[in-house]
């Protein structure tokens, strides 16, 4: 347990990247979203109208702006922190578990940040001017019980996937991430080929808990993708 805590503390040394950079990204998305809303307002759209609300809630900027950063942070957690952890006496198992604990803490942090901002948005009548920035479909459309699992599992999955790419690079060099990306692309395409004939039925019976199960499954696979390569990886 002490070794796992030590790994978490080692990850926490990157406080600026872990705590401040996500806030900066969120702030940039807020500014861009407001500017886009003002652009449509000047073009004749009316805040509060059905068209305004539907189009504003379709904003996916928050997802795509954070996704790339989180994956890169996951890569760094394995590729750059692993050698330091082993040099300080951590085992490979402790590093993997410590990285999982770190990912959970980071996911909880961002969940709290986005939940608080969404509640502020609702409390202020969407920032007093009808700007929908956090009350959007991708974050649960203003439903806190949806936002919490969506953000938590999404952040955890993205960090874990990034860690798997980083671990494969440590073990196999540049070929590792290339093979993972190729295999993932093939599996996705094969899955779509299988699912497409019954897509209409799946959409009709779709339930959000499917995504939660998929997220947990992805985290488990990704953490295995960290542990297995690092078991035999040499320290560089």
């Amino acid at each position: 347990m002490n070794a796992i805590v030590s790994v978490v503390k080692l990850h926490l040394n990157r406080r600026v990247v872990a705590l401040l950079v996500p806030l900066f990204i969120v702030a940039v998305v807020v500014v861009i979203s407001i500017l886009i809303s003002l652009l449509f307002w000047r073009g004749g759209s009316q805040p509060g109208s059905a068209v305004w609300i539907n189009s504003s809630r379709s904003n996916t900027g928050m997802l795509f702006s954070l996704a790339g950063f989180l994956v890169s942070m996951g890569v760094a957690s394995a590729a750059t922190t692993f050698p330091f952890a082993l040099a300080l006496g951590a085992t490979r198992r402790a590093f993997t578990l410590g990285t999982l604990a770190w990912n959970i803490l980071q996911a909880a942090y961002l969940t709290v940040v986005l939940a608080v901002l969404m509640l502020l948005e609702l409390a202020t009548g969407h920032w007093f001017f009808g700007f929908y920035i956090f009350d959007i479909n991708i974050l649960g459309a203003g439903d806190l019980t949806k936002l919490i699992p969506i953000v938590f599992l999404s952040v955890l999955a993205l960090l874990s996937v990034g860690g798997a790419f980083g671990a494969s690079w440590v073990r196999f060099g540049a070929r590792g991430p290339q093979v993972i990306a190729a295999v993932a692309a093939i599996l996705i395409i094969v899955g779509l080929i299988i699912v497409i004939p019954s897509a209409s039925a799946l959409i009709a019976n779709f339930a959000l808990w499917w995504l939660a199960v998929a997220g947990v499954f992805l985290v488990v696979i990704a953490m295995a993708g960290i542990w297995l390569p690092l078991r035999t990886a040499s320290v560089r």
Side-chain angles (χ1 to χ4, degrees):
M1 181 60 68
N2 290 335
I4 295 173
V5 173
S6 297
V7 172
V8 173
K9 290 180 178 178
L10 188 60
H11 284 302
L12 278 171
N13 285 329
R14 300 179 296 153
R15 290 184 180 87
V16 172
V17 174
L19 303 178
L20 299 183
V21 173
L23 296 182
F24 173 75
I25 293 173
V26 169
V28 171
V29 175
V30 168
V31 172
I32 293 175
S33 298
I34 290 175
L35 291 175
I36 292 174
S37 296
L38 290 173
L39 180 65
F40 282 106
W41 194 353
R42 293 287 292 175
S45 295
Q46 293 300 314
S49 65
V51 174
W52 176 279
I53 293 173
N54 290 334
S55 61
S56 297
R57 278 184 165 170
S58 298
N59 182 7
T60 56
M62 197 64 67
L63 169 65
F64 292 109
S65 61
L66 285 171
F69 165 74
L70 291 171
V71 171
S72 67
M73 190 163 71
V75 171
S77 70
T80 63
T81 309
F82 174 67
F84 293 104
L86 264 62
L88 294 175
T91 64
R92 297 162 195 263
R93 177 176 175 273
F95 175 78
T96 303
L97 293 176
T99 300
L100 174 60
W102 158 249
N103 291 347
I104 291 173
L105 288 175
Q106 188 67 22
Y109 167 68
L110 285 176
T111 300
V112 170
V113 168
L114 293 180
V116 169
L117 289 173
M118 189 201 72
L119 291 174
L120 284 173
E121 181 171 299
L122 295 177
T124 57
H126 298 89
W127 311 110
F128 306 106
F129 293 99
F131 295 140
Y132 286 71
I133 301 172
F134 302 97
D135 177 9
I136 54 178
N137 294 331
I138 198 70
L139 295 180
D143 187 340
L144 192 63
T145 61
K146 293 180 181 179
L147 180 144
I148 291 174
I150 287 172
V151 175
F152 182 82
L153 289 175
S154 296
V155 173
L156 184 57
L158 289 168
L159 290 171
S160 301
V161 168
F165 275 96
S168 69
W169 181 84
V170 172
R171 176 62 180 85
F172 302 105
R175 292 176 300 172
Q178 292 170 357
V179 170
I180 289 180
V183 171
I186 291 171
L187 291 176
I188 290 172
I189 293 172
V190 171
L192 290 175
I193 292 173
I194 295 172
V195 168
I196 282 176
S198 57
S200 58
L202 290 173
I203 293 173
N205 297 296
F206 175 78
L208 282 175
W209 66 265
W210 293 4
L211 293 179
V213 172
V216 172
F217 178 76
L218 182 58
V219 170
V220 172
I221 295 298
M223 292 309 301
I226 295 175
W227 159 243
L228 293 175
L230 293 184
R231 287 182 63 188
T232 55
S234 60
V235 180
R236 301 181 184 183

